[in-house]
Amino acid sequence: AVVSTQSTGIARQLTMLDFELFAKIKPIELVNQAWVKPKYSHQAKNILHFAERMNTLTRWAATSILAQKDKASRARLINGFYNDSRRATETQQLQLLYCPL
């Protein structure tokens, strides 16, 4: 129950941080996929910041798993990420699903 409570608290904090970045995205940034075109990427700086956040969380999850000393520890951590993802789905914090998967 402690881990569940901690995971829920962490998920809420991540959601608030993600929302701050997401809320800054302007509709014009979505036009013509400017974020993938170097010539126009300056027009989509908030999308790029949000994408970098997702990439950072994904690297953190992968590094955390690989840093475990043995298979059992890696399996426990992967299981924890899975359970966190389930809770994120249940609480509709869907943006958190990108990280460990």
Side-chain angles (χ1 to χ4, degrees):
V2 172
V3 173
S4 176
T5 303
Q6 288 175 344
S7 293
T8 301
I10 291 169
R12 285 187 183 132
Q13 293 297 315
L14 289 172
T15 298
M16 287 189 291
L17 292 170
D18 289 346
F19 181 75
E20 285 179 29
L21 291 174
F22 183 77
K24 291 179 182 179
I25 296 173
K26 307 283 188 267
I28 193 69
E29 294 183 62
L30 302 168
V31 175
N32 296 323
Q33 297 183 336
W35 64 93
V36 296
K37 299 174 183 168
K39 182 177 178 180
Y40 300 107
S41 64
H42 68 280
Q43 296 174 352
K45 65 180 180 173
N46 294 310
I47 290 176
L48 292 171
H49 288 146
F50 191 75
E52 182 56 34
R53 167 120 173 100
M54 289 189 289
N55 291 338
T56 298
L57 284 172
T58 300
R59 282 190 299 272
W60 168 77
T63 301
S64 296
I65 292 166
L66 295 173
Q68 300 305 305
K69 295 186 187 301
D70 55 55
K71 284 193 286 187
S73 297
R74 285 190 292 275
R76 278 192 299 278
L77 188 56
I78 290 169
N79 189 49
F81 281 137
Y82 171 77
N83 290 331
D84 291 344
S85 296
R86 246 187 40 232
R87 276 191 289 285
T89 302
E90 292 166 2
T91 58
Q92 301 211 353
Q93 296 171 315
L94 303 179
Q95 78 286 358
L96 298 177
L97 298 176
Y98 59 74
C99 172
L101 305 174

